[in-house]
Amino acid sequence: MKKLRVDTGNNRMNRRFHASTLFLLTFLFNIASSRDNMLPNHIKLSSSLTCRLVGGLTREQRSVCNEAPDTVAIAFEGLQLAVKECQHQFRWHRWNCSSLLVKSSNPHASSIMKRGFRESSFLYALSAAGVAHSVARACAQGRLLSCGCDPLGYRASHDPRGRARANKWEWSGCSHNLAYGIEFSKKFLDVREQVDDLQSKINVHNNNAGRSILSSHMEVRCKCHGLSGSCQLRTCWRATPDFRVVASTIKRQYRKALMVAQEQLNNNPSSVLRGRPRGRRRGKAKPAPKNSLLFLERSPNFCDVDPRIDSAGTSGRVCRIGRTSRSGSCDLLCCGRGHALIRKSSIKPCNCTFHWCCRVDCERCRDDKWVAICK
């Protein structure tokens, strides 16, 4: 009887073990089988929240966001890339894009984007290029299901007849899908503008200028294959350039931006946009080239804090002591208020000695620097 009682206890333990194991396996199987259904719903939920929470989006943009949330997420990355590059390009200007950091992921929520300043034209062009740039790269990187590599490939884009160079085998790699990036940039940004409004027409022109400048800077990159580094076979693809190159070109267009002719203010918005170069008020207005930037109203000095135009003022900014004409000079940046010199101290390693083997001993030295700060 004692032996039988022990066997019965073992049987109960085995049944419990098998039951718990079966339950665990069933639970894991259900998770695995429903993973494909659960993941998209989670992504859709978070994306829909993003579409509602990001400020500055129009109703049409939210509709695009709900239709293609993954692509819009990449577009937001492009907008943030544009904001960071704007800060670099204008780091020595009175307006330095600093206010755009607090505008979530969308610089269009900024007040300055609702004006017709030269700075506004730069932001529109840079934002449109940033969205196209990020989406084109994401397509080639496989981050989006709605697009892939450029279907034309490298050969069709660099040679109309698709011929490779003599004595070289060229294969087309995964080119960045610029066409899709530009198309989505238009779909997501140009939909903000009204058809019958002159300011909207100028904004669309500046958007197209930024995308056109990006397209003109596309690069051809190649990778060689072969023994001992030979290039008997190479793979080539078209790639978007470093975004700083694009931003620098847009900055040059900003310096020579055209002011829309006053006679067009009461003209038919469907007419061709015309502008005058800076300082040529009496000159004849000419049709604006596609890569030029257009603005409608003269910019303020941005010396003082003004939330209406997203001006943070220049008080407390670091400036450069020296020539008045120098970019970021204290005379220009401080708006005539003067500057103060502040000493900043830091501890850095110095007089380092290498000991065999393998130790480096350094002394700690104090490094003092004088920095000019606008009053």
Side-chain angles (χ1 to χ4, degrees), residues 37-105:
N37 295 328
M38 293 173 60
L39 188 57
N41 291 335
H42 173 69
I43 293 176
K44 185 176 181 180
L45 177 62
S46 61
S47 299
S48 62
L49 286 174
T50 300
C51 295
R52 290 199 299 266
L53 294 177
V54 173
L57 295 180
T58 64
R59 182 177 61 182
E60 292 78 10
Q61 282 185 304
R62 296 189 190 280
S63 177
V64 175
C65 189
N66 291 324
E67 293 174 3
D70 55 340
T71 314
V72 171
I74 301 298
F76 286 149
E77 293 181 8
L79 292 175
Q80 285 299 294
L81 177 65
V83 170
K84 292 180 180 178
E85 194 55 41
C86 179
Q87 289 182 301
H88 175 79
Q89 297 292 334
F90 282 78
R91 63 193 184 278
W92 295 115
H93 289 239
R94 291 175 179 174
W95 181 78
N96 63 349
C97 314
S98 59
S99 60
L100 300 180
L101 284 179
V102 297
K103 302 300 180 183
S104 183
S105 300

Side-chain angles (χ1 to χ4, degrees), residues 214-229:
L214 170 65
S215 179
S216 65
H217 282 81
M218 288 293 287
E219 302 172 349
V220 174
R221 300 175 185 173
C222 294
K223 183 178 181 181
C224 290
H225 311 277
L227 299 175
S228 302

Side-chain angles (χ1 to χ4, degrees), residues 286-352:
K286 298 181 179 180
K290 66 175 184 178
N291 285 358
S292 65
L293 299 187
L294 296 177
F295 65 100
L296 192 59
E297 54 182 323
R298 299 192 182 279
S299 302
N301 56 27
F302 296 108
C303 288
D304 301 316
V305 178
D306 190 351
R308 295 174 300 176
I309 54 174
D310 283 330
S311 174
T314 61
S315 179
R317 291 272 303 276
V318 176
C319 61
R320 293 170 165 177
I321 302 175
R323 300 189 306 271
T324 305
S325 59
R326 185 184 184 188
S327 177
S329 68
C330 293
D331 291 337
L332 292 177
L333 196 60
C334 300
C335 303
R337 296 188 301 264
H339 63 276
L341 292 178
I342 299 177
R343 185 175 66 180
K344 291 188 176 182
S345 300
S346 60
I347 304 298
K348 295 184 178 180
C350 62
N351 301 327
C352 297

Side-chain angles (χ1 to χ4, degrees), residues 2 50 199 238 246 358:
K2 186 175 182 180
T50 300
Q199 180 65 68
R238 296 184 75 226
V246 180
C358 301

Side-chain angles (χ1 to χ4, degrees), residues 145-370:
L145 297 177
S146 55
C147 62
C149 304
D150 185 355
L152 294 178
Y154 159 65
R155 289 184 183 175
S157 60
H158 91 290
D159 189 340
R161 290 167 291 183
R163 295 184 305 180
R165 292 182 179 180
N167 302 324
K168 296 287 184 181
W169 286 95
E170 289 186 356
W171 285 7
S172 181
C174 184
S175 296
H176 293 178
N177 200 335
L178 180 64
Y180 187 88
I182 290 178
E183 178 186 358
F184 191 83
S185 177
K186 291 181 178 179
K187 181 179 180 180
F188 185 60
L189 296 181
D190 292 3
V191 73
R192 295 179 54 90
E193 311 303 333
Q194 301 175 8
V195 179
D196 57 347
D197 181 62
L198 179 60
Q199 180 65 68
S200 295
K201 189 175 181 180
I202 293 173
N203 294 341
V204 172
H205 172 90
N206 292 326
N207 285 346
N208 288 329
R211 290 185 285 252
S212 177
I213 291 173
L214 170 65
S215 179
S216 65
H217 282 81
M218 288 293 287
E219 302 172 349
V220 174
R221 300 175 185 173
C222 294
K223 183 178 181 181
C224 290
H225 311 277
L227 299 175
S228 302
S230 63
C231 205
Q232 296 299 320
L233 172 66
R234 70 176 187 173
T235 304
C236 297
W237 64 95
R238 296 184 75 226
T240 52
D242 181 73
F243 195 63
R244 180 149 300 173
V245 176
V246 180
S248 297
T249 304
I250 297 177
K251 178 68 176 300
R252 288 194 292 270
Q253 292 295 334
Y254 158 84
R255 293 193 184 99
K256 54 183 180 180
L258 305 177
M259 187 172 189
V260 174
Q262 292 295 321
E263 54 265 27
Q264 285 201 234
L265 297 181
N266 299 321
N267 199 358
N268 184 1
S270 62
S271 62
V272 177
L273 286 173
R274 297 173 179 268
R276 290 189 179 92
R278 187 177 182 182
R280 300 183 185 178
R281 297 182 181 179
R282 298 182 181 179
K284 185 178 179 180
K286 298 181 179 180
K290 66 175 184 178
N291 285 358
S292 65
L293 299 187
L294 296 177
F295 65 100
L296 192 59
E297 54 182 323
R298 299 192 182 279
S299 302
N301 56 27
F302 296 108
C303 288
D304 301 316
V305 178
D306 190 351
R308 295 174 300 176
I309 54 174
D310 283 330
S311 174
T314 61
S315 179
R317 291 272 303 276
V318 176
C319 61
R320 293 170 165 177
I321 302 175
R323 300 189 306 271
T324 305
S325 59
R326 185 184 184 188
S327 177
S329 68
C330 293
D331 291 337
L332 292 177
L333 196 60
C334 300
C335 303
R337 296 188 301 264
H339 63 276
L341 292 178
I342 299 177
R343 185 175 66 180
K344 291 188 176 182
S345 300
S346 60
I347 304 298
K348 295 184 178 180
C350 62
N351 301 327
C352 297
T353 305
F354 176 75
H355 299 276
W356 184 268
C357 174
C358 301
R359 189 178 83 254
V360 177
D361 292 334
C362 296
E363 298 178 5
R364 294 170 61 84
C365 299
R366 180 174 176 175
D367 183 29
D368 293 336
K369 289 185 178 179
W370 291 91

Side-chain angles (χ1 to χ4, degrees), residues 128-139:
V131 170
H133 183 276
S134 295
V135 172
R137 284 197 171 187
C139 290

